[in-house]
């Protein structure tokens, strides 16, 4: 059952356990452009035994469709942090973001000082998502989503559904397109960079530039697949995170 956590509209918990002591870490997941908290339900199912998994629901989608989406990534990160702070306790905080969510997680980590940061399917902040920087109209957005092969094709061809989802997509693509890293300290926690080996969004040099944004241990892991490789490798990524949380190499 889905439960709202903290500020009611922002955070979702999909799985619980009777004994909170078995989940000594808070793991907060941030979705991609056009994505919603529910994308992390399978991820939560894999990790709920070792972490208290929360997923962020951005404004402008699903049950928040009536709210204006945020089209500035720095502002989105600030609002995420403001929503998270009342829900945090003395347990270590871990952030996991995919694609646009990786940039939101990175900017949030600069403010929150988490125990760990995982970024997935995203070039380094100093590089930007170069392909999205050229997309400024609805047809370009839809063509890009089709090319990434992570969105149901029926959804992208239904005029009624498109009317509901396009405002959030426009805002998300604008947020990524206009994002520029601002001066300031880098996250002071271990950083793990995850990619799909055939992801057109993450050429090798743009991924390796994440080394410039970690002040401690920076690791890289590549999995077979494209931009949405995670849907096919949830268990493997969950095993990696579980080993990290247990202190195993």
């Amino acid at each position: 059952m889905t439960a709202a956590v903290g500020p009611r509209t922002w955070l979702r918990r999909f799985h619980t356990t009777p004994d909170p002591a078995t989940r000594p870490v808070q793991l907060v997941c941030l979705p991609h452009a056009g994505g919603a908290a529910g994308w992390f339900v399978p991820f939560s199912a894999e990790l709920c035994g070792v972490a208290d998994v929360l997923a962020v629901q951005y404004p402008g989608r699903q049950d928040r469709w009536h709210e204006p989406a945020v089209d500035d990534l720095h502002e989105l990160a600030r609002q995420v942090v403001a929503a998270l702070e009342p829900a945090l306790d003395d347990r270590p905080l871990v952030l996991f973001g995919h694609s646009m969510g990786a940039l939101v997680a990175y900017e949030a980590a600069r403010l929150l000082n988490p125990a760990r940061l995982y970024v997935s399917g995203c070039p380094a902040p100093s590089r930007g998502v170069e392909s999205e920087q050229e997309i400024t109209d609805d047809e370009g957005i839809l063509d890009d989503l089709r090319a990434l092969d992570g969105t149901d094709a029926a959804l992208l061809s239904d005029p009624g559904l498109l009317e509901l989802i396009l405002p959030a997509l426009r805002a998300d693509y604008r947020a990524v397109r206009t994002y520029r890293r601002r001066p300031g300290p880098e996250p002071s926690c271990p950083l793990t960079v995850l990619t799909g080996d055939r992801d057109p969004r993450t050429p090798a040099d743009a991924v390796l530039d994440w080394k410039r944004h970690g002040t401690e241990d920076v690791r890289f892991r590549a999995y077979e697949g494209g931009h949405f490789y995670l849907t096919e490798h949830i268990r493997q990524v969950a095993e990696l995170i579980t080993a990290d949380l247990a202190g195993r190499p």
Side-chain angles (χ1 to χ4, degrees), residues 72-91:
D72 178 274
L73 197 140
H74 291 283
E75 175 61 18
L76 182 58
R78 187 195 68 78
Q79 292 189 27
V80 167
V81 169
L84 275 175
E85 285 179 330
L88 300 179
D89 50 36
D90 58 356
R91 292 175 294 176

Side-chain angles (χ1 to χ4, degrees), residues 19-244:
D19 183 6
T22 65
R23 304 191 299 172
V25 173
Q26 289 181 297
L27 171 61
V28 176
C29 303
L30 298 109
H32 53 282
W39 195 69
F40 286 106
V41 169
F43 201 59
S44 174
E46 290 289 339
L47 285 163
C48 64
V50 295
D52 182 12
V53 183
L54 305 176
V56 172
Q57 187 79 300
Y58 304 135
R61 60 217 74 207
Q62 292 188 341
D63 56 334
R64 301 189 70 186
W65 68 269
H66 57 289
E67 301 177 53
V70 180
D71 64 358
D72 178 274
L73 197 140
H74 291 283
E75 175 61 18
L76 182 58
R78 187 195 68 78
Q79 292 189 27
V80 167
V81 169
L84 275 175
E85 285 179 330
L88 300 179
D89 50 36
D90 58 356
R91 292 175 294 176
L93 170 67
V94 175
L95 298 177
F96 184 104
H98 180 72
S99 194
M100 180 186 81
L103 294 176
V104 180
Y106 164 77
E107 290 294 343
R110 298 176 77 188
L111 301 172
L112 285 172
N113 191 29
R116 287 185 176 272
L117 172 62
Y118 295 87
V119 293
S120 168
C122 187
S126 52
R127 296 289 295 260
V129 184
E130 296 170 1
S131 58
E132 287 187 6
Q133 290 173 0
E134 305 301 322
I135 299 171
T136 59
D137 61 7
D138 291 352
E139 197 53 45
I141 291 173
L142 298 178
D143 286 345
D144 189 56
L145 291 174
R146 294 184 186 102
L148 293 175
D149 196 27
T151 306
D152 187 345
L155 178 66
L156 300 179
S157 60
D158 186 315
L161 291 176
L162 283 177
E163 186 177 353
L164 292 177
I165 68 173
L166 272 171
L169 283 167
R170 293 180 191 120
D172 289 353
Y173 272 71
R174 175 174 170 75
V176 174
R177 185 172 71 247
T178 59
Y179 170 73
R180 301 294 183 273
R181 182 194 175 278
R182 296 171 181 169
E186 299 291 355
S188 58
C189 62
L191 169 63
T192 300
V193 184
L194 310 174
T195 61
D197 62 4
R198 298 191 305 275
D199 182 359
R201 281 279 192 276
T202 55
D205 56 342
V207 172
L208 290 174
D209 273 355
W210 275 104
K211 288 186 294 186
R212 301 168 56 185
H213 302 286
T215 59
E216 284 195 22
D217 169 34
V218 181
R219 300 179 305 165
F220 298 86
R221 295 287 188 275
Y223 297 86
E224 184 178 355
H227 188 62
F228 291 100
Y229 76 91
L230 187 59
T231 58
E232 298 174 2
H233 296 284
I234 290 173
R235 179 157 296 177
Q236 292 94 319
V237 174
E239 289 172 351
L240 171 70
I241 294 173
T242 300
D244 287 346

